[in-house]
Amino acid sequence: MTPRLVEVRQNVLKHNDEVARALRQRFHASGVFVVSLVSSPGSGKTTFLERTLTSLRPGYRVAALVGDLATENDARRLARSQAPVKQIVTGTLCHLEASMIEKALDGWNPGELDFLFIENVGNLVCPSSYDLGEDLRLVLVSVTEGEDKPLKYPTIFNTSDLAIVSKMDLAPAVEFNWPALEKNIQAVRPEMRVIRVSAKTGQGMDEWLESLTALRSSAGAVPGP
Amino acid sequence: MHELSIAMNIVEIAESEAGRRNARIEAVHLRLGPLSGVVKDALLSAWELACENTVLAGSRLVVEDVPLVVYCPRCKAQRTLDSISFLCPECQSPTPDVVHGRELEVFALEVGDAA
């Protein structure tokens, strides 16, 4: 018998999307604003996040989940901020999936948090496909990486909501070309907001933190004290 | 490289359809957009391995590339882009609204007689 073609129409990542949708509903009901961070390895996610947690902590209840293939080094670094931190060791997996977030939240009450940060595995390719139930996806690109990064990895930039240019303190040393990077980001993700920061000197951190708290308020969460 | 785990997700979908229809799957047709985050060649390479020891063993994966289609707010029309650079090819306006291109979807199965 000749094979027949039958229509199916099923999203391959349906299971992940369903778990992510349930997480998002749970986060909204709890009033916690969830931010995920994606970037290539070594772009400064952990330093940026440590500074963010430390700056927010006097006024807000914050926590972080951090994904890596191996080691708990990043969780140890982030724990210096005094915020609750949990490491997700992915083993061989190059990205986080919604079910890993669900599992990592075991024993945590999102209702006791104002902000939850999820640091993805350092990888500009695979994390783009997986919704984690976050409100905001941040993509970090450091000034040392080359201004054409967005053109090489358009999908991760296109699926992100806000871009952070990190390590601005090194900009002069590497002759960083800001107009070129800005143009390339806009080419793959028109109208995306871009904030330039240095987690080392603190440059741009106020602008980032103000945007973050404003986004949380406009998402309908209760403003912090 | 997450194409192997994507391939395994596709196998799971096809397996459950095969069971439901009591049929043998000869091929799986997939629609893949340039913004799916999945590389076609890597997915095709992973297919045989993902099918091993399943009812899909020996099946083919047929990938249909979905073009990147955006909405141009100035032309008030849909436009197909040749590359991932969000400018209207007619008027050069930025085009943030993606109409097609994120697809990662099993859309059809070639089924034969029951296994």
Side-chain angles (χ1 to χ4, degrees):
Chain A
M1 189 180 109
T2 18
R4 309 169 278 130
L5 201 64
V6 294
E7 196 168 294
V8 177
R9 291 203 158 270
Q10 209 180 116
N11 179 359
V12 173
L13 295 175
K14 188 175 163 215
H15 175 69
N16 186 78
D17 290 349
E18 283 169 358
V19 177
R21 200 173 308 129
L23 279 174
R24 188 169 283 117
Q25 282 170 359
R26 187 174 156 201
F27 293 146
H28 283 184
S30 309
V32 58
F33 191 77
V34 182
V35 181
S36 75
L37 292 87
V38 291
S39 79
S40 50
S43 65
K45 280 189 301 302
T46 309
T47 307
F48 172 77
L49 187 51
E50 187 182 348
R51 184 141 192 159
T52 300
L53 292 172
T54 307
S55 308
L56 285 172
R57 233 182 59 80
Y60 295 94
R61 299 166 300 172
V62 296
L65 299 174
V66 48
D68 275 300
L69 271 71
T71 83
E72 305 226 339
N73 296 350
D74 283 4
R76 273 199 290 275
R77 281 173 62 193
L78 292 175
R80 294 188 300 209
S81 68
Q82 309 290 321
V85 177
K86 208 181 272 185
Q87 181 86 43
I88 303 174
V89 178
T90 63
T92 54
L93 209 59
C94 51
H95 59 271
L96 293 175
E97 296 188 7
S99 57
M100 297 171 168
I101 306 302
E102 192 184 34
K103 191 160 165 266
L105 287 173
D106 227 28
W108 277 11
N109 178 3
E112 292 171 1
L113 293 174
D114 298 313
F115 289 101
L116 173 66
F117 294 89
I118 303 170
E119 182 183 330
N120 215 315
V121 178
N123 181 338
L124 281 177
V125 184
C126 312
S128 61
S129 307
Y130 296 87
D131 184 1
L132 301 179
E134 70 269 64
D135 294 294
L136 184 76
R137 185 184 279 185
L138 281 189
V139 59
L140 266 79
V141 55
S142 63
V143 298
T144 58
E145 288 176 60
E147 293 81 1
D148 58 351
K149 217 56 189 266
L151 303 181
K152 288 177 175 167
Y153 300 92
T155 304
I156 197 88
F157 282 87
N158 186 266
T159 56
S160 296
D161 305 300
L162 198 154
I164 297 286
V165 180
S166 62
K167 306 190 187 179
M168 279 302 292
D169 53 295
L170 297 177
V174 295
E175 294 178 2
F176 171 60
N177 185 340
W178 160 242
L181 178 64
E182 157 108 279
K183 180 168 166 272
N184 292 338
I185 291 175
Q186 297 303 325
V188 297
R189 176 69 158 95
E191 296 165 16
M192 180 150 68
R193 174 137 188 232
V194 188
I195 301 177
R196 286 168 285 173
V197 309
S198 163
K200 195 172 173 184
T201 66
Q203 176 194 340
M205 289 303 288
D206 285 347
E207 185 188 350
W208 148 242
L209 293 166
E210 277 161 26
S211 311
L212 178 65
T213 47
L215 283 165
R216 177 173 178 270
S217 305
S218 63
V222 190
Chain B
M1 263 297 287
H2 61 315
E3 278 74 7
L4 181 59
S5 75
I6 297 280
M8 288 163 77
N9 284 343
I10 299 170
V11 168
E12 270 172 39
I13 291 170
E15 262 184 326
S16 85
E17 288 292 326
R20 215 163 56 82
R21 295 164 193 273
N22 191 27
R24 189 168 44 85
I25 309 280
E26 309 215 338
V28 177
H29 290 241
L30 184 83
R31 286 165 56 86
L32 188 66
L35 290 177
S36 63
V38 173
V39 180
K40 180 180 173 177
D41 288 344
L43 188 62
L44 290 170
S45 308
W47 183 247
E48 203 182 315
L49 186 59
C51 291
E52 236 174 55
N53 301 319
T54 75
V55 297
L56 271 289
S59 68
R60 290 171 296 123
L61 178 66
V62 182
V63 178
E64 181 195 318
D65 293 304
V66 178
L68 180 53
V69 178
V70 295
Y71 179 78
C72 174
R74 192 198 262 177
C75 300
K76 298 194 176 6
Q78 292 189 3
R79 302 284 184 212
T80 303
L81 304 180
D82 293 333
S83 66
I84 306 182
S85 180
F86 290 85
L87 288 179
C88 173
E90 303 295 326
C91 75
Q92 308 303 315
S93 298
T95 53
D97 294 330
V98 177
V99 180
H100 290 294
R102 300 195 197 281
E103 288 83 351
L104 175 54
E105 177 192 63
V106 174
F107 81 96
L109 300 169
E110 280 177 38
V111 297
D113 295 328

